[in-house]
Amino acid sequence: MPRNIQEGLAEGRILIFDGAIGTMLQRAGLHSGEVAELWNVERPEVVKNVHRAYKAAGSDLFTTNSFQGSPISLAAKGLRERAFELNFAAAQLAREVAGDEVIVAGSMGPSGQFLEPWGMLSYGEAVEAFAQQAAALTAGGVDVLLVETMSDLGEAKAAVEGAARTGKPVLVTLAFDVQGRTMMGVSAQRAARELSETSVLALGANCGDGPEVIRAALEQMHAVLSDFPLIARPNAGLPELVNGVPTWNLGPDELAAYVSLYLELGARMVGSCCGSTPDYTRAIAAAVRGAMEGGD
């Protein structure tokens, strides 16, 4: 797999994302309320083992352990001054495992603050914060920047603008409900129209209540962007408490059954999100191979 993501897409490849990082770290002992990004410097070998597992499962793209790594998110945990260190380390760990075989995508999640007029965070402040995170991830060796799980279109645009300052390709995904709207009421169609006018290379949907939610969002996006590369990364269904332990209700094969439909709706990058493991990546990769062979 070439590290140049544009080349991969131009060759007509379907790129396989990894799955959940947080879920895997929780299985390794990360407790609720702990800052996952601290493990990049405190338990780096555990983070690398997660990347190794996804590489072995067939991932073409890694996501870095930096989802809550913006200076604004880290400030809420008293860690703002360590933003560069933690993001740089996240990128370095993924890059070390990826080598030249896997594309590394720097994960940039929501800041945790509302932009004006709903909150106190200005658009300009958000751009600067995301730019700082993107710069640290880029210095650490990422190939592309992934703005993910966004609900506010304004924040998504701010993150894209900040990330674009690095000169790296930018991907963006939002989290939708079953009606194809984000928590802030943004429709998938509107998100597709407005974000496609920015510098993003590809866009789509991640997280949500499982693969059917992603299907609905992609259907809306594909209706207005028939030739634009889309991204599909569903959660492993919904979490249920089994003996006090969160257990996700959709297995790898059940999730992977949606892959051919995602491809029909314009997805060029597919993977999984919360609750997933390398088993899901393996099943998705097999489904992609089956779909591509069936199309020959």
Side-chain angles (χ1 to χ4, degrees):
M1 178 66 222
R3 281 178 56 182
N4 186 314
I5 193 169
Q6 294 99 323
E7 289 181 9
L9 291 174
E11 292 170 358
R13 294 192 56 161
I14 304 300
L15 307 181
I16 311 298
F17 259 105
D18 58 6
I21 301 297
T23 296
M24 294 293 287
L25 293 180
Q26 288 162 13
R27 289 188 170 197
L30 181 73
H31 298 298
S32 176
E34 278 192 87
V35 179
E37 289 75 12
L38 281 174
W39 279 34
N40 296 328
V41 294
E42 294 177 354
R43 301 189 66 183
E45 200 60 31
V46 176
V47 177
K48 286 197 291 184
N49 283 340
V50 172
H51 294 313
R52 290 184 183 114
Y54 280 119
K55 185 176 185 178
S59 294
D60 296 314
L61 295 101
F62 286 162
T63 50
T64 57
N65 181 37
S66 56
F67 178 74
Q68 293 184 308
S70 83
I72 296 171
S73 296
L74 292 174
K77 305 172 181 71
L79 295 169
R80 187 177 188 123
E81 73 283 356
R82 298 186 66 181
F84 185 92
E85 172 197 8
L86 297 178
N87 283 282
F88 182 83
Q92 278 199 318
L93 296 176
R95 177 83 278 146
E96 183 178 336
V97 176
D100 290 328
E101 296 84 44
V102 179
I103 295 167
V104 176
S107 172
M108 300 170 59
S111 68
Q113 301 292 323
F114 288 111
L115 267 65
E116 297 173 339
W118 299 279
M120 301 297 291
L121 183 65
S122 73
Y123 180 85
E125 288 171 331
V127 171
E128 290 301 321
F130 285 118
Q132 290 173 31
Q133 183 182 16
L137 291 166
T138 299
V142 303
D143 302 303
V144 60
L145 292 157
L146 171 66
V147 175
E148 59 175 327
T149 325
M150 289 289 170
S151 295
D152 179 0
L153 189 54
E155 185 176 27
K157 290 179 179 179
V160 169
E161 184 175 333
R165 291 184 183 178
T166 65
K168 294 290 184 182
V170 181
L171 316 175
V172 59
T173 57
L174 293 88
F176 298 96
D177 61 19
V178 291
Q179 280 77 42
R181 291 186 178 273
T182 73
M183 181 180 69
M184 300 297 289
V186 180
S187 72
Q189 283 192 349
R190 179 186 170 197
R193 288 193 187 97
E194 295 192 23
L195 288 169
S196 66
E197 294 174 355
T198 69
S199 59
V200 300
L201 177 66
L203 59 89
N206 78 298
C207 209
D209 291 343
E212 183 61 25
V213 168
I214 303 299
R215 181 208 61 77
L218 258 61
E219 194 170 64
Q220 286 192 36
M221 290 183 168
H222 188 58
V224 296
L225 296 176
S226 59
D227 297 321
F228 203 88
L230 300 181
I231 303 167
R233 298 185 66 209
N235 283 353
L238 293 168
E240 302 172 344
L241 282 179
V242 178
N243 297 322
V245 178
T247 302
W248 297 77
N249 68 355
L250 209 63
D253 292 338
E254 293 172 287
L255 188 147
Y258 280 79
V259 165
S260 60
L261 180 55
Y262 293 160
L263 300 185
E264 290 174 8
L265 292 173
R268 302 289 300 282
M269 304 179 205
V270 293
S272 51
C273 202
C274 301
S276 65
T277 66
D279 288 338
Y280 290 77
T281 304
R282 198 170 288 110
I284 289 168
V288 168
R289 287 194 300 272
M292 298 303 287
E293 290 168 1
D296 290 342

